[in-house]
Amino acid sequence: MARIPSVFIAISACALLTACGGGAEEEAAAPAGDAPAEIAERQDNFEEIGDSFKAIREQLETDSPDMALIQTSAADINERLKRLPNLFPEGTSMEAGYDTEALATIWEDPQGFDEAIQNAIAASADLMAAAETGDPEAVGGQVGNLGLNGCKACHDKYRVDDD
């Protein structure tokens, strides 16, 4: 079975992990109270998405990827992305003083944010379909697609810039 070029995987993985976690900290106002549970839930959700991407990347770097593991990880990413609309209640941005990288732009542009989430969900469905084919190259292509057109596209506008 052909291996996916490591450079492609590394670039895709970097884009995805950058999009899904970590970043610069900025000054924020003092929060009005205890952080809503949704903030911890969404942060945990993104951590798990990152773990699933890592599992896929590690498999794609082998000579004989475990397609069952890739399929499970792709399905996990899809299910977790579907949770996102319920994990961003209004007022849970970093501007509200919470320890988060979510920008108030999310609630200022709810239609755009919803569209970005739906695009990520659609790209993750394409990743699941690619995983079902058993073709590592197809999976690699869809990992890149989700990273750039799903995660990164959303985070470029709705998350603190980590540069």
Side-chain angles (χ1 to χ4, degrees):
M1 191 162 294
R3 290 177 59 170
I4 304 298
S6 295
V7 172
F8 176 75
I9 294 169
I11 291 169
S12 297
C14 286
L16 290 170
L17 292 176
T18 297
C20 289
E25 295 180 23
E26 292 188 11
E27 281 295 314
D34 291 337
E38 290 90 348
I39 292 175
E41 287 179 55
R42 73 183 179 222
Q43 290 170 344
D44 290 344
N45 198 52
F46 282 125
E47 290 259 338
E48 294 296 326
I49 289 170
D51 289 346
S52 290
F53 273 117
K54 181 180 177 186
I56 292 171
R57 184 198 72 219
E58 288 173 350
Q59 289 304 308
L60 292 177
E61 291 175 346
T62 69
D63 288 329
S64 183
D66 180 344
M67 294 309 292
L69 178 60
I70 290 173
Q71 291 168 1
T72 300
S73 297
D76 182 65
I77 292 167
N78 180 263
E79 286 304 313
R80 290 180 181 285
L81 287 172
K82 289 177 181 177
R83 296 177 189 169
L84 293 182
N86 297 320
L87 297 179
F88 287 88
E90 191 161 354
T92 60
S93 68
M94 66 174 295
E95 291 92 344
Y98 295 111
D99 184 19
T100 178
E101 295 176 351
L103 295 172
T105 309
I106 291 168
W107 301 278
E108 294 164 359
D109 180 21
Q111 184 176 359
F113 183 63
D114 183 59
E115 182 178 318
I117 289 174
Q118 295 310 314
N119 288 341
I121 292 168
S124 70
D126 291 342
L127 174 60
M128 287 185 354
E132 289 295 325
T133 70
D135 179 359
E137 290 188 28
V139 172
Q142 289 306 319
V143 165
N145 178 49
L146 176 54
L148 294 176
N149 298 316
C151 301
K152 186 177 180 336
C154 184
H155 288 181
D156 281 352
K157 186 171 183 180
Y158 302 104
R159 180 176 163 255
V160 172
D161 184 5
D162 54 358
D163 289 335

